[in-house]
């Protein structure tokens, strides 16, 4: 027979094996959950709408954000539909009054201007009007600069010629108006130069993409003094926004064609708004260090760590972007199981409350905005912090909701900084909106061929 010691050893060994198996099962369960979430995220990105806007009725689940901080996940109520009592016609599109009007008057033929009952000549009593908006397609014309030449009729030795205005590109066939048109089409309307070349060819003018590209590079050189002044102006502002977006450059020195370069944007939004773009072959911290200076007081950016060195070196106050924090939670919400209201909803309810307050303060002066934030926003932030501390241990770190809460936790000191000054913005959306036309254009032209093009 086995001794009691042997039995105890076997029991201990079995318990150890069970503990190991339980740990492995828990790890496998977490991995399965993570893979299922990645699958849902892939389907969401491929097939679902990309908008971050949430239906109002979903967030009404938590009308009072602080009331649900300790509430467990619950079943979402059945969706309801409000049926309108009647249909109201949409107002017609109005045509601005300052547009020139051309009136076309229609009259009855001469033989129909008599009453069919008694033959009396009809009398005009007014008109029934209908306006249409018309457009005149782009028209090309040639400006001939004719400089009058003079000579002394007596000695015939003195010659003179009239001056003409200085041109952006001397001896070029491109007028200032044509250069401005091409630039607006390319940079504001995201129409690549090769498409513009086709449009010109359609009306009988041969302008190659090389012609247009050289003109745009020359225009960029002419604009550089203005860009320098804009940058000086930006460095004097109380708050700056910065952001960056990838850009592929095929012929980048010491880099493969598949590698990414970056377009950086720096702007001030409000009184005397201004935005400048800066191309760099890298996303390294050296770029913000070169663009910023000790004159800058406050910088609003996302969570990218590359901005921190410039903030540390120059003593710049760094603010965090609540739109980015909200974006992580929106992603987590989309990956929740259908019909469940979970932690993502709870976090979004707090953030939406902060944004609702900001909407009421939009037109207030900075001192009133500061006081209102201290009175109303700080208590919400305190409750959000308490909810965050209690929720972090309950989620998987690598899950979507885990990443969202980790972002909130890591960026917390920067996120709450906006309440310290009435001039501070709550997010970096203005910079993202400023860089959006560039990203839209990138979908058309895909890449830049060289550094000069970038």
């Amino acid at each position: 027979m086995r001794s009691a010691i042997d039995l105890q050893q076997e029991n201990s060994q079995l318990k150890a094996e069970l503990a190991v198996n339980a740990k492995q099962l828990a790890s496998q369960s977490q991995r399965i959950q993570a893979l299922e979430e990645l699958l849902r995220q892939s389907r969401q990105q491929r097939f679902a709408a990309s908008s971050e806007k949430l239906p109002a009725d979903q967030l009404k689940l938590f009308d009072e954000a602080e009331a649900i901080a300790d509430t467990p996940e619950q079943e979402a109520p059945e969706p309801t539909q409000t049926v309108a009592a009647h249909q109201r016609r949409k107002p017609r599109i109005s045509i601005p009054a300052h547009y020139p009007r051309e009136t076309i008057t229609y009259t009855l033929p001469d033989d129909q201007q008599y009453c069919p009952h008694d033959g009396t000549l009809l009398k005009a009593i007014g008109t029934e009007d209908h306006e249409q908006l018309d457009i005149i397609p782009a028209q090309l014309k040639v400006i001939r600069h004719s400089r009058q030449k003079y000579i002394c009729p007596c000695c015939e030795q003195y010659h003179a010629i009239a001056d003409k205005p200085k041109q952006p590109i001397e001896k070029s066939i491109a007028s200032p108006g044509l250069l401005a048109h091409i630039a607006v089409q390319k940079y504001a309307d995201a129409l690549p130069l090769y498409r513009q070349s086709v449009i010109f060819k359609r009306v009988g003018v041969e302008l190659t993409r090389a012609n247009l590209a050289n003109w745009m590079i020359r225009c960029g050189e002419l604009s550089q003094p203005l860009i320098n002044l804009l940058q000086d102006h930006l460095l004097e502002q109380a708050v700056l926004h910065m952001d960056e977006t990838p850009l592929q450059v095929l012929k980048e020195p010491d880099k493969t064609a598949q590698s990414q370069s970056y377009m950086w944007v720096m702007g001030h939004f409000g009184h005397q708004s201004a935005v400048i773009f800066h191309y760099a072959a890298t996303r390294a911290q050296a770029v913000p260090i070169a663009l910023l200076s000790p004159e800058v007081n406050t910088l609003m950016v996302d969570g990218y760590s590359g901005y921190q060195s410039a903030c540390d070196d120059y003593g710049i106050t760094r603010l965090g972007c609540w739109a980015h924090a909200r974006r992580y939670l929106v992603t987590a919400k989309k990956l929740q199981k259908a019909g469940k209201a979970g932690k993502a909803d709870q976090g979004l309810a707090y953030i939406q409350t902060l944004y609702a307050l900001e909407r009421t303060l939009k037109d207030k002066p900075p001192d009133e905005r500061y006081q209102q934030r201290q009175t109303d926003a700080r208590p919400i932030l305190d409750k959000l912090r308490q909810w965050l501390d209690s929720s972090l241990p309950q989620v998987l770190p690598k899950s979507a909701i885990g990443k969202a809460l980790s972002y909130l936790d890591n960026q917390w000191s920067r996120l709450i900084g906006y309440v310290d000054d009435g001039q501070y913005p709550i997010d970096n959306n203005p910079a993202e909106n400023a860089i959006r036309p560039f990203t839209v254009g990138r979908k058309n032209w895909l890449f830049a061929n060289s550094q000069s093009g970038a």
Side-chain angles (χ1 to χ4, degrees):
M1 293 182 63
R2 289 177 296 175
S3 65
I5 296 176
D6 294 335
L7 290 174
Q8 289 179 355
Q9 290 177 347
E10 288 183 8
N11 287 337
S12 300
Q13 186 175 357
L14 285 172
K15 289 180 180 179
E17 291 176 356
L18 288 173
V20 171
N21 290 337
K23 188 175 181 180
Q24 291 177 345
L25 287 173
S27 176
Q28 290 176 356
S29 176
Q30 291 181 0
R31 179 168 174 77
I32 290 171
Q33 290 181 36
L35 292 174
E36 287 178 343
E37 190 174 77
L38 285 174
L39 179 60
R40 290 197 298 272
Q41 185 174 7
S42 176
R43 289 174 175 169
Q44 175 76 27
Q45 291 173 345
R46 186 174 182 183
F47 301 112
S50 59
S51 173
E52 296 176 16
K53 188 174 182 180
L54 299 171
D57 57 344
Q58 292 188 16
L59 288 178
K60 285 180 181 177
L61 292 171
F62 307 111
D63 285 333
E64 294 294 335
E66 59 272 18
I68 48 78
D70 302 319
T71 317
E73 293 190 2
Q74 53 186 290
E75 293 289 335
E78 289 294 325
T80 60
Q81 183 176 3
T82 302
V83 179
H86 65 280
Q87 290 185 345
R88 181 176 297 172
R89 289 184 179 181
K90 292 183 178 179
R92 292 177 61 88
I93 299 174
S94 61
I95 302 177
H98 65 272
Y99 285 168
R101 258 69 174 175
E102 175 187 349
T103 301
I104 303 175
T105 303
Y106 304 95
T107 61
L108 287 173
D110 291 342
D111 60 348
Q112 295 181 19
Q113 295 188 18
Y114 295 89
C115 176
H117 302 293
D118 54 22
T120 305
L121 180 66
L122 300 179
K123 176 184 178 181
I125 59 173
T127 61
E128 180 179 302
D129 298 333
H130 168 225
E131 290 190 337
Q132 289 181 319
L133 189 63
D134 194 20
I135 186 171
I136 301 174
Q139 298 178 346
L140 292 173
K141 67 177 181 180
V142 177
I143 299 176
R144 176 180 294 166
H145 296 275
S146 185
R147 303 169 64 189
Q148 184 66 54
K149 297 189 293 184
Y150 300 87
I151 189 173
C152 175
C154 296
C155 66
E156 297 185 352
Q157 299 298 313
Y158 177 72
H159 296 260
I161 187 170
D163 293 331
K164 70 172 183 178
K166 188 172 179 60
Q167 301 298 304
I169 307 177
E170 294 293 346
K171 300 182 180 180
S172 170
I173 67 168
S175 72
L178 179 61
L179 294 174
H181 172 78
I182 296 169
V184 170
Q185 291 276 88
K186 176 174 172 57
Y187 300 110
D189 299 334
L191 191 63
L193 295 180
Y194 75 90
R195 293 188 187 176
Q196 295 193 52
S197 177
V198 172
I199 293 172
F200 282 117
K201 186 176 181 180
R202 194 163 59 224
V203 296
V205 179
E206 293 283 348
L207 295 178
T208 67
R209 182 166 51 175
N211 295 140
L212 303 182
N214 288 331
W215 290 347
M216 290 300 97
I217 290 174
R218 178 62 181 144
C219 287
E221 294 170 351
L222 292 172
S223 303
Q224 191 58 51
L226 175 61
I227 295 172
N228 296 339
L229 290 173
L230 283 174
Q231 184 160 4
D232 293 341
H233 167 72
L234 287 175
L235 295 178
E236 296 171 354
Q237 303 309 308
V239 182
L240 281 186
H241 294 249
M242 284 191 72
D243 198 9
E244 77 288 335
T245 189
L247 167 64
Q248 185 180 5
V249 180
L250 299 184
K251 298 177 182 178
E252 188 80 70
D254 303 322
K255 293 180 68 176
T256 63
Q258 294 77 21
S259 61
Q260 287 186 336
S261 300
Y262 289 87
M263 186 65 73
W264 297 71
V265 64
M266 182 168 68
H268 169 73
F269 306 92
H271 181 60
Q272 294 185 332
S273 297
V275 178
I276 63 169
F277 289 82
H278 175 78
Y279 165 74
T282 177
R283 198 190 182 200
Q285 61 188 19
V287 180
I289 290 175
L291 291 176
L292 298 171
S293 75
E295 300 172 350
V296 178
N297 294 321
T298 309
L299 182 67
M300 164 57 78
V301 289
D302 56 26
Y304 174 49
S305 60
Y307 295 104
Q308 192 57 42
S309 291
C311 292
D312 292 339
D313 292 351
Y314 300 142
I316 300 173
T317 299
R318 179 174 175 178
L319 301 178
C321 175
W322 276 103
H324 278 76
R326 181 176 59 187
R327 193 168 300 158
Y328 279 100
L329 286 168
V330 169
T331 300
K333 175 179 173 55
K334 291 178 180 179
L335 299 179
Q336 287 176 173
K337 292 182 179 179
K340 290 286 187 179
K343 294 190 179 301
D345 298 273
Q346 298 171 2
L348 284 170
Y350 280 115
I351 296 176
Q352 295 298 74
T353 307
L354 294 173
Y355 270 91
L357 173 62
E358 288 302 304
R359 285 192 291 272
T360 67
L361 303 176
K362 183 176 63 173
D363 299 323
K364 299 288 182 66
D367 54 343
E368 289 186 30
R369 195 179 300 127
Y370 167 76
Q371 292 296 337
Q372 204 71 29
R373 284 172 174 176
Q374 295 298 313
T375 304
D376 296 335
R378 276 211 176 273
I380 300 171
L381 291 170
D382 292 339
K383 291 170 183 175
L384 175 55
R385 181 70 246 189
Q386 294 173 8
W387 170 81
L388 178 60
D389 290 336
S390 64
S391 300
L392 274 170
Q394 302 173 13
V395 298
L396 297 176
K398 293 186 179 180
S399 65
I401 185 62
K403 292 177 181 177
L405 297 188
S406 295
Y407 183 90
L408 266 175
D409 185 45
N410 295 334
Q411 297 291 317
W412 184 257
S413 61
R414 299 167 184 165
L415 288 170
I416 65 173
Y418 82 98
V419 300
D420 293 334
D421 193 308
Q423 299 183 83
Y424 290 170
I426 192 174
D427 59 36
N428 201 32
N429 278 349
E432 292 191 356
N433 292 336
I435 211 169
R436 186 168 289 116
F438 176 84
T439 60
V440 171
R442 186 177 57 202
K443 294 179 181 179
N444 290 334
W445 42 260
L446 301 178
F447 55 82
N449 187 57
S450 64
Q451 283 186 329
S452 297

